Amino acid sequence: MNAPAGRVDGDVAVYRRQFLNRSETFVRDHLVFLDRWRPTALTSWRQADGLEVPGVPVVEAREGDVRRKVLDRLPQRIAGTHDGRQERRLRSALRRLRPDVVHAHFGTDAAVVAPVARELGIPFVITWHGYDATVHDEVLAQSESGRTLLARREELLRDAAGTIAVSGPIARELERHGATPGSIDVIACGVDTQAVAGTPPPPDGGLLFVGRLVEKKGLGDLLDALSGLAAPPPLTVIGDGPLRARMESRAQAAGLDVRFLGVRGSDEVREQMRAAQAVVIPSRRATNGDCEGLPVVSLEAGACARPVVAYAHSGLVESVLDGTTGLLAQEGDVAGLATAIEKVSQDADLREALGRAGRDHVVRSFDIRVTTARIEAVYDRARS
């Protein structure tokens, strides 16, 4: 973790526009587990209550408070667009840092920092996570960051020194947008399997759902599936979002045993996983096109040796091997989801076998050390 003294192969500035949302543990872990490359976190603004990244310097490219307040009051034609102002600040920060490579998480962030990196002669790498590759263009056009991405997407896909997609389905979406087939590295966000012990699922404990309460996470489908069972198992929901009140009302109206815990830290999520029999991930494409890339919670469940019940959606078909590490229903098939939940809930031997295979699969293919080494190989090629 964090390039040892005397073994630094390069310096990388990892850009995230807002640093760092508490749900974005995958960015934190990417920074912390880099081995041969020395990271600096680069951001346009830092959250006061965001995730900490031990041992990694954070550079905030921002305007002074007085200048920002003055510019905010001026017409856009004078002050410049928000993204344009960010570019000016990033240009100054990158001139000071002079990294060997710039790596942006999310296409929307790359659309701001990549042109600056190109201007300064610094190769750039982009990781596309999901919505940035799948949301409909007409929806992207409704926000400034989306319009910037639309205007620059073709050149980002053409000029990036490295293009990473977190799953095969996201890579195919990028090819649909013009990326050269075969030019994309598919590298999922890994998890630290050494920090988690795989244990057999308990005889009781019910189901666990972890995720933002938004349309694509599919909690409504899960509640409908449970409502169709004669004896639905209890469900614990970790996460918050705009649909929480509606989901709580639906669960109560259906007479389901559901606990809504809100947002919880990584340690408590792991505790809840250890207490659960299975993790359910009913993610599906939202009406605006938003899709998952590869839900990290599916990897965390596997690391804990918990079977996953999910829809066969996007990267879940890669993290969950149907019939081997979990059970997959066709996306949107609520009855099929209910059948899979019932099967796992009623068969302790099946739960244990799926969980054991799930841990083996995640350790072999998705451990953070494996995925980070692959990212560093992209950096090596980008600099050469």
Side-chain angles (χ1 to χ4, degrees):
M1 297 188 294
N2 288 346
R7 192 191 165 195
V8 176
D9 290 347
D11 292 299
V12 58
V14 177
Y15 179 65
R16 186 71 179 102
R17 189 180 305 215
Q18 185 168 325
F19 196 88
L20 187 58
N21 290 331
R22 299 194 69 82
S23 62
E24 294 181 358
T25 54
F26 54 91
V27 177
R28 177 200 64 194
D29 291 348
H30 165 208
L31 288 160
V32 170
F33 279 89
L34 284 171
D35 179 32
R36 297 182 293 104
W37 281 70
R38 181 168 50 207
T40 297
L42 177 63
T43 185
S44 294
W45 62 89
R46 190 169 186 178
Q47 288 185 212
D49 60 346
L51 284 177
E52 295 296 325
V53 185
V56 176
V58 180
V59 172
E60 185 175 7
R62 59 174 294 173
E63 295 161 335
D65 291 340
V66 174
R67 176 180 171 81
R68 175 177 53 79
K69 289 177 181 178
V70 170
L71 289 173
D72 284 347
R73 293 191 182 103
L74 293 174
Q76 188 178 94
R77 61 185 172 79
I78 299 174
T81 65
H82 185 64
D83 282 353
R85 288 163 58 183
Q86 285 187 74
E87 287 181 29
R88 289 197 296 269
R89 301 192 298 270
L90 289 167
R91 187 177 295 109
S92 176
L94 286 173
R95 280 178 174 147
R96 294 195 309 271
L97 289 172
R98 296 302 304 180
D100 298 292
V101 171
V102 172
H103 183 172
H105 280 279
F106 295 93
T108 45
D109 288 11
V112 175
V113 74
V116 178
R118 181 171 53 238
E119 174 189 326
L120 298 176
I122 306 170
F124 63 90
V125 172
I126 309 169
T127 293
W128 302 77
H129 285 273
Y131 83 87
D132 46 353
T134 67
V135 166
H136 301 318
D137 286 357
E138 59 270 25
V139 177
L140 286 175
Q142 294 171 16
S143 68
E144 182 180 341
S145 62
R147 289 190 295 273
T148 302
L149 174 58
L150 288 174
R152 296 174 174 174
R153 185 169 60 197
E154 182 178 348
E155 65 188 53
L156 291 175
L157 293 171
R158 182 190 65 222
D159 296 341
T163 300
I164 298 171
V166 297
S167 65
I170 297 304
R172 290 190 287 275
E173 290 280 352
L174 295 175
E175 290 173 0
R176 184 173 64 83
H177 289 310
T180 303
S183 67
I184 301 168
D185 288 278
V186 176
I187 307 174
C189 300
V191 294
D192 184 4
T193 61
Q194 295 181 15
V196 183
T199 57
D204 51 20
L207 309 174
L208 178 66
F209 169 98
V210 182
R212 288 195 68 231
L213 303 187
V214 295
E215 182 186 359
K216 75 173 178 180
K217 295 295 185 179
L219 180 57
D221 281 22
L222 174 53
L223 297 180
D224 289 345
L226 293 175
S227 297
L229 297 178
L235 170 67
T236 297
V237 174
I238 293 179
D240 210 338
L243 298 183
R244 177 169 178 172
R246 189 186 308 176
M247 294 298 104
E248 288 179 330
S249 296
R250 284 177 65 171
Q252 185 175 15
L256 298 173
D257 181 2
V258 183
R259 292 189 305 153
F260 287 83
L261 301 185
V263 177
R264 291 290 187 269
S266 298
D267 290 343
E268 186 165 352
V269 171
R270 288 174 183 166
E271 288 177 12
Q272 293 295 336
M273 278 188 180
R274 284 192 289 268
Q277 292 181 332
V279 176
V280 187
I281 310 175
S283 297
R284 56 181 302 167
R285 183 181 286 268
T287 53
N288 67 359
D290 191 5
C291 287
E292 299 277 18
L294 190 155
V296 175
V297 67
S298 66
L299 307 179
E300 293 171 336
C304 288
R306 292 298 173 269
V308 174
V309 177
Y311 281 148
H313 167 80
S314 194
L316 283 164
V317 299
E318 298 169 356
S319 60
V320 182
L321 306 180
D322 188 28
T324 301
T325 72
L327 300 179
L328 297 176
Q330 289 302 304
E331 186 172 330
D333 181 3
V334 173
L337 185 67
T339 298
I341 289 171
E342 190 170 45
K343 187 173 182 179
V344 167
S345 297
Q346 294 179 355
D347 191 333
D349 291 338
L350 175 64
R351 289 196 301 271
E352 185 166 352
L354 294 174
R356 187 166 54 247
R359 178 164 174 85
D360 290 344
H361 178 49
V362 171
V363 169
R364 182 172 58 253
S365 301
F366 298 103
D367 181 81
I368 189 69
R369 296 158 189 82
V370 173
T371 59
T372 302
R374 295 188 60 205
I375 291 172
E376 290 187 314
V378 175
Y379 295 166
D380 294 340
R381 295 200 310 269
R383 187 181 54 180
S384 62

